[in-house]
Amino acid sequence: IISAEFDRRSTLRAMLRNQHGIVDDTRGSGGRNKSPEVTAFVLFFATFTMVIGKELSTVEVKPHNPTSRKSLTNLDDDMEVAKTIAKAQIDLGYHTLSLMRVRKLSPEPVTYKLLIQACGRCRVTHRAQQLMEMLARDGLATNSEIYTSLITAFSGGNENEPSALAIYRESNASEAASSVTGASIPLMGRRKTEGSEHSSISELTSPDSTKKKRDRIKNAMSSFSSNRKLFKKPRSKRKVVSSSSPSSLTKKKNLRTTPSIVTQIELGESLLDSLYPGLVIDTESDACPKCAKTLTEDDIISGWTPCASKNYQTCCPSCNTKFVPKFSVSCNSSSFEGSQGRGTSLYCDYLSPWVLLREIRSVISATEGIESVLNEKFRSGSDIKATLWWNLIVTFRRYKLPYIFLLQGSFQNQLILPSPSLTESMTDIHAA
């Protein structure tokens, strides 16, 4: 049995190296950050943002009879529900992005870019102001890719609502006019003057609610525009975590979270346990093949080589021997397929966030997209796919990130809803 398991894992590892994986991690893709925690956040956004707006796109291509009033009414209802779900998904993405600031992690541009692009796909702009303010605070206003994505995402929307692109142009025109007349009022944090600053806005919009919304976005865009210049200077001295040394690794129990994230994590744990009764994921029992020291999960993480997306090995803290770590997954379900068949434990290579990010991106690119990963068949066997899926669960659990979206393939109802309580969510969810 031991020999068979060794051969199985060796074969899977060879297939991972040969059949999957992006050769080079291109600039700005997020795989070059030395922090495993930051890379775990990048992995979250690389997968979760592809889920955002799926219901909306499905409704948009849904066939309907344009001459039937009932058909149009149903379509409008479906569209409204899909938009509500998309907003809830954007909210979860925003709260997860905010979690990086709570933990004082160095910002990774690709996380902003992916979330902003998702906002653009869904035409959801209710988080535009907060995102622009966060970009300014994190000193990323000069990033050209983020800036382009921001303008593209928030340049459209409801025709009755202000366009962020139009406001940005208006802000630039106002800035240019100020420079000609010698005005020295800074864009960032400037106060509203009587009449002059709002005359052009009031001409464009008459309702008070629209005007206020336009003003808020205008101020945010003004701050963002100003900070593109301000942040060409050295960034703020805000203390961030960027080291990959063992001393900088935050223990799981000490990771800070927020109520909104805790709710999603708890719901994900409940649903995962319902799918896999008596689930046990053991990441603390792997031993060094040379000195037999049992490595903790933090030992394994600290032994990974940062940014090495092709390196599957960790380093033993006792004897410095390099080896491929593993973890095991078991549950009480007789239908669970492990390494040696149904009812046995599944042994998986423990992949670093850098390796996992590369592999998941490759799978998504080579298949039908994120749907292949969400499909419960993806994780039902004991092959490479199951190894990748359970590594996603292990990584997100280790860094206390939401993973409920990975379970969507096993449920009919949408799992991410607008600010639900845990009790209400559990009541409304039914297994497929």
Side-chain angles (χ1 to χ4, degrees):
I1 295 177
I2 295 177
S3 177
E5 173 58 19
F6 178 81
D7 292 341
R8 185 190 72 85
R9 292 179 61 218
S10 297
T11 301
L12 291 182
R13 201 173 304 128
M15 293 178 67
L16 277 171
R17 289 192 178 100
N18 297 330
Q19 297 183 12
H20 297 276
I22 301 169
V23 176
D24 294 312
D25 187 20
T26 57
R27 180 179 64 85
S29 61
R32 295 297 183 185
N33 195 298
K34 292 184 178 181
S35 166
E37 185 176 359
V38 172
T39 307
F41 273 90
V42 175
L43 178 62
F44 170 82
F45 282 99
T47 50
F48 176 66
T49 54
M50 297 193 70
V51 175
I52 297 176
K54 285 295 182 182
E55 291 78 11
L56 194 58
S57 60
T58 301
V59 173
E60 289 176 343
V61 299
K62 187 177 181 179
H64 66 279
N65 183 1
T67 61
S68 172
R69 179 177 298 180
K70 183 177 181 181
S71 176
L72 292 175
T73 301
N74 291 338
L75 182 64
D76 289 341
D77 292 342
D78 291 344
M79 185 68 72
E80 190 63 31
V81 171
K83 286 182 178 179
T84 302
I85 292 174
K87 285 185 177 180
Q89 292 169 336
I90 292 293
D91 285 342
L92 178 56
Y94 171 77
H95 291 312
T96 306
L97 188 61
S98 300
L99 189 61
M100 295 189 74
R101 291 187 59 84
V102 171
R103 296 183 185 176
K104 297 183 179 178
L105 296 172
S106 56
E108 189 62 43
V110 70
T111 57
Y112 278 102
K113 181 180 176 181
L114 290 170
L115 183 57
I116 290 170
Q117 288 176 340
C119 290
R121 288 197 309 270
C122 302
R123 298 183 297 280
V124 175
T125 61
H126 72 298
R127 290 293 182 182
Q129 180 182 357
Q130 294 98 321
L131 285 173
M132 289 183 283
E133 290 173 350
M134 288 175 65
L135 280 168
R137 288 196 302 266
D138 284 338
L140 294 174
T142 57
N143 187 292
S144 58
E145 292 187 1
I146 293 180
Y147 193 67
T148 301
S149 298
L150 183 75
I151 299 302
T152 301
F154 300 138
S155 62
N158 193 311
E159 60 181 7
N160 295 322
E161 296 179 354
S163 164
L165 180 58
I167 295 172
Y168 166 70
R169 288 172 176 168
E170 181 182 322
S171 297
N172 278 353
S174 176
E175 182 181 9
S178 296
S179 63
V180 171
T181 59
S184 58
I185 300 176
L187 283 173
M188 185 176 181
R190 65 182 175 183
R191 297 180 181 275
K192 299 179 179 66
T193 57
E194 294 183 2
S196 60
E197 187 175 356
H198 294 291
S199 59
S200 58
I201 299 178
S202 59
E203 291 173 1
L204 292 174
T205 58
S206 54
D208 291 340
S209 59
T210 304
K211 181 176 182 295
K212 290 179 181 179
K213 184 173 182 179
R214 187 180 181 88
D215 288 345
R216 288 197 303 270
I217 301 179
K218 175 181 172 64
N219 291 335
M221 287 300 294
S222 296
S223 298
F224 189 78
S225 176
S226 177
N227 276 279
R228 280 177 61 82
K229 297 179 180 179
L230 292 177
F231 282 104
K232 289 180 182 178
K233 301 176 181 180
R235 289 186 181 182
S236 168
K237 294 183 180 180
R238 181 171 66 90
K239 189 175 182 180
V240 296
V241 177
S242 59
S243 173
S244 60
S245 63
S247 60
S248 68
L249 182 64
T250 305
K251 298 287 186 180
K252 181 179 179 179
K253 64 180 181 180
N254 295 331
L255 288 174
R256 299 179 64 185
T257 55
T258 59
S260 58
I261 297 299
V262 169
T263 298
Q264 294 295 329
I265 291 175
E266 290 178 344
L267 179 56
E269 291 285 339
S270 298
L271 296 179
L272 188 63
D273 287 341
S274 70
L275 292 173
Y276 301 96
L279 176 68
V280 176
I281 302 178
D282 187 1
T283 59
E284 303 277 347
S285 300
D286 203 15
C288 172
K290 183 176 181 180
C291 69
K293 173 183 172 59
T294 300
L295 274 66
T296 65
E297 186 175 35
D298 287 350
D299 288 335
I300 293 174
I301 294 173
S302 299
W304 283 326
T305 302
C307 307
S309 61
K310 295 182 181 180
N311 190 342
Y312 295 79
Q313 297 178 323
T314 189
C315 183
C316 175
S318 180
C319 66
N320 293 326
T321 297
K322 293 186 177 181
F323 66 99
V324 179
K326 66 178 183 297
F327 65 87
S328 65
V329 182
S330 61
C331 73
N332 297 333
S333 175
S334 58
S335 61
F336 180 78
E337 185 173 351
S339 300
Q340 301 303 318
R342 292 183 181 275
T344 64
S345 297
L346 176 66
Y347 291 90
C348 305
D349 287 348
Y350 196 166
L351 306 179
S352 74
W354 300 281
V355 173
L356 187 55
L357 178 62
R358 177 176 67 96
E359 299 297 347
I360 288 296
R361 279 176 168 162
S362 178
V363 169
I364 291 175
S365 299
T367 59
E368 56 188 25
I370 193 64
E371 288 85 357
S372 62
V373 179
L374 301 184
N375 193 320
E376 58 183 346
K377 292 182 180 179
F378 188 85
R379 60 180 187 268
S380 61
S382 59
D383 57 4
I384 297 174
K385 297 175 182 179
T387 293
L388 293 177
W389 192 87
W390 284 109
N391 265 276
L392 286 173
I393 297 296
V394 166
T395 299
F396 292 160
R397 289 179 73 173
R398 168 58 181 83
Y399 295 106
K400 295 186 178 180
L401 297 175
Y403 60 84
I404 187 173
F405 68 97
L406 293 174
L407 309 176
Q408 186 63 69
S410 296
F411 298 91
Q412 292 179 341
N413 292 5
Q414 175 56 234
L415 300 182
I416 300 175
L417 299 172
S419 302
S421 68
L422 184 60
T423 303
E424 290 171 347
S425 299
M426 291 299 296
T427 301
D428 294 335
I429 293 171
H430 305 283

